Amino acid sequence: MSNSGSPCNGQPSQAPSLSSVPTHGQPLWLLAELTYKCPLQCPYCSNPLDFANFETELTTQQWLDVFQQGRELGAVQLGFSGGEPLVRQDLTELIAGASEMGYYTNLITSGVGLNERKMAEFQQAGLDHIQVSFQASDESVNTMLAGSKKAFKQKLKMAREVKAQGYPMVLNFVTHRHNIDRIDRIIELCVELEADYVELATCQYYGWAVENVKQLLPTREQLERAERITNEYRDKLAAAGNPIKLIFVTPDYYEERPKKCMNGWGQVFLTVTPDGKALPCHSARMLPIEFPNVTEMTLQQIWDESPGFNHFRGDGWMKEPCRSCDEKEDDFGGCHCQAYMLTGDMHNADPVCSKSEHHELILNARAKAETVTDNPAEFVYRNERNSRIIATDSLTDSLVKSSVD
């Protein structure tokens, strides 16, 4: 399996003519995926399956140039992501440069590799916000998912240090069938850590999660129970005067209408990958579209002129049922990556939509979730060995199913 892909249905990938594209917005949110390197191996990581093929990374100066061009285009928020952005030895310098340019900066991290000294350095450099991700509320499940026996205690320590150093406490839990039944304990842990914002993000099926959908997708009953418990905690915490914000994100697979892709393809969101590829969303690298590189074009040219960013602007690309749908301005056809992964044609309606001729794929996935036997040993873990196997189309039987350091 390779992300380079070939044109859908054997046809050349054609963007609509630029003259047919309506005026688009500014890239208000810039996501800098600084590296694909990461000490963890989460089986739902959104990084591309063949990330091991992309070893080149932008230099410090190249990243600073990207940040400056982003500001000139109107970007106001900058996320430092990965992989694990703490792997970059120049992270403090990048934070300082972005802060001087006027960005609101956000470090999105597992917490592994973070310490009190680095956090203080980042604060001195002007970092505004740290989001720490957890795999679970208990050490055993966290270890099973992250592939590290040390990660959970480190996350707890760093989450407390975030609070101690005066940052907003923002926690992210990716929930799925292996931890969603403990949603009450997850919320209680967040309360213990004095979190300000908590994203209970039910797993979305992109990147590595697609390889593991059978072992990750919760049942409808699990999902409804988790949402009910979250609402109960919201009421209880509000009554107690606790200002914590609990954000519950439902997976696409249990919706009847798709979400709007990144609030509109090429409208407000711009990702730059470790090697400089510019994308309208962090998953778009899988699509059979030639996306430009910041080492070859300016961000202004990329945003306004490149065929990749203009491909799904407007509605000229739409097929039926999207083209004549009275809801097309609400969701723009849904997620193009999901359409591509599930149907092989990125121009199809997102199969999540009940109007899609491929909606049965989603219904089948829901049905399988009701019968699957939980077996973590079947996980395909996100690591370099598996990435190289996938990139060379080797047999999936040779994939690493489990590894814990």
Side-chain angles (χ1 to χ4, degrees):
M1 180 184 293
S2 172
N3 285 346
S4 58
S6 58
C8 295
N9 297 336
Q11 298 300 316
S13 177
Q14 298 292 330
S17 66
L18 298 192
S19 61
S20 69
V21 177
T23 301
H24 49 269
Q26 298 169 275
L28 300 177
W29 171 254
L30 176 61
L31 182 67
E33 291 185 328
L34 300 180
T35 181
Y36 285 141
K37 297 181 177 70
C38 183
L40 304 184
Q41 55 175 2
C42 305
Y44 47 74
C45 180
S46 63
N47 284 169
L49 296 175
D50 58 351
F51 72 85
N53 277 358
F54 306 106
E55 298 180 353
T56 301
E57 293 181 359
L58 297 180
T59 66
T60 305
Q61 189 54 56
Q62 285 174 320
W63 274 119
L64 291 173
D65 289 344
V66 168
F67 300 164
Q68 184 59 51
Q69 291 179 55
R71 283 294 288 142
E72 292 170 1
L73 276 175
V76 292
Q77 294 196 53
L78 174 61
F80 296 103
S81 180
E84 175 49 68
L86 291 167
V87 172
R88 289 281 299 216
Q89 298 303 303
D90 58 354
L91 183 53
T92 301
E93 185 177 351
L94 294 176
I95 291 170
S99 181
E100 289 172 5
M101 295 174 197
Y103 279 104
Y104 183 88
T105 51
N106 179 15
L107 175 62
I108 304 166
T109 177
S110 68
V112 177
L114 192 58
N115 56 43
E116 294 88 341
R117 177 187 57 80
K118 285 184 180 180
M119 206 178 295
E121 284 182 4
F122 296 160
Q123 190 170 57
Q124 184 67 30
L127 183 65
D128 295 298
H129 181 118
I130 300 176
Q131 176 182 301
V132 180
S133 64
F134 279 77
Q135 280 72 30
S137 60
D138 63 276
E139 188 168 5
S140 61
V141 178
N142 201 97
T143 298
M144 181 264 290
L145 292 166
S148 170
K149 296 177 181 178
K150 306 172 184 177
F152 186 67
K153 290 179 181 177
Q154 169 69 6
K155 289 171 181 290
L156 289 177
K157 183 179 180 181
M158 289 303 100
R160 293 187 175 103
E161 187 62 24
V162 166
K163 193 74 175 182
Q165 295 209 19
Y167 286 102
M169 167 69 82
V170 183
L171 302 180
N172 175 273
F173 284 79
V174 176
T175 61
H176 42 77
R177 67 183 299 120
H178 289 275
N179 64 8
I180 198 167
D181 289 334
R182 302 201 67 185
I183 195 79
D184 51 349
R185 178 58 192 136
I186 289 174
I187 295 173
E188 288 167 5
L189 176 61
C190 295
V191 173
E192 290 171 20
L193 292 172
E194 300 180 86
D196 298 296
Y197 298 90
V198 178
E199 184 175 18
L200 303 168
T202 313
C203 190
Q204 306 290 348
Y205 298 97
Y206 311 97
W208 291 80
V210 176
E211 300 294 304
N212 294 292
V213 63
K214 184 175 73 170
Q215 285 298 325
L216 290 172
L217 185 66
T219 65
R220 182 179 291 279
E221 181 181 3
Q222 285 181 302
L223 185 66
E224 290 176 348
R225 174 181 177 274
E227 190 165 16
R228 174 179 55 78
I229 290 173
T230 301
N231 288 332
E232 290 171 356
Y233 267 94
R234 284 185 180 129
D235 293 341
K236 182 169 65 173
L237 291 167
N242 190 321
I244 186 172
K245 303 295 183 185
L246 302 178
I247 303 166
F248 189 92
V249 182
T250 303
D252 292 357
Y253 277 41
Y254 284 103
E255 300 285 2
E256 296 303 314
R257 290 291 183 273
K259 66 179 181 297
K260 185 186 299 184
C261 174
M262 304 309 297
N263 206 39
W265 177 277
Q267 294 299 318
V268 297
F269 188 86
L270 193 157
T271 293
V272 179
T273 66
D275 59 333
K277 189 80 73 174
L279 305 171
C281 90
H282 58 277
S283 296
R285 189 165 204 156
M286 73 174 70
L287 298 176
I289 295 176
E290 187 62 37
F291 290 107
N293 196 292
V294 297
T295 62
E296 300 168 352
M297 297 177 68
T298 67
L299 275 194
Q300 182 275 319
Q301 291 173 319
I302 289 170
W303 184 258
D304 290 328
E305 303 171 18
S306 68
F309 273 73
N310 280 294
H311 194 101
F312 288 112
R313 284 173 173 156
D315 59 10
W317 60 271
M318 286 185 176
K319 300 166 60 175
E320 293 295 349
C322 296
R323 180 177 291 276
S324 59
C325 180
D326 59 4
E327 298 179 76
K328 67 181 180 182
E329 293 185 4
D330 295 329
D331 56 42
F332 299 131
C335 175
H336 309 298
C337 294
Q338 202 148 252
Y340 182 60
M341 286 184 294
L342 295 178
T343 76
D345 186 345
M346 63 185 176
H347 300 97
N348 282 335
D350 186 337
V352 164
C353 184
S354 62
K355 298 181 182 181
S356 165
E357 64 178 311
H358 302 286
H359 187 58
E360 186 176 354
L361 296 170
I362 299 298
L363 299 180
N364 289 341
R366 295 177 193 171
K368 287 179 182 177
E370 302 291 337
T371 61
V372 69
T373 301
D374 293 349
N375 183 4
E378 293 185 1
F379 275 134
V380 176
Y381 284 91
R382 181 255 192 229
N383 55 47
E384 188 168 320
R385 177 182 170 185
N386 280 343
S387 178
R388 294 192 185 283
I389 291 171
I390 289 171
T392 55
D393 293 322
S394 296
L395 294 176
T396 55
D397 286 347
S398 63
L399 294 173
V400 179
K401 298 296 183 181
S402 179
S403 176
V404 177
D405 64 26

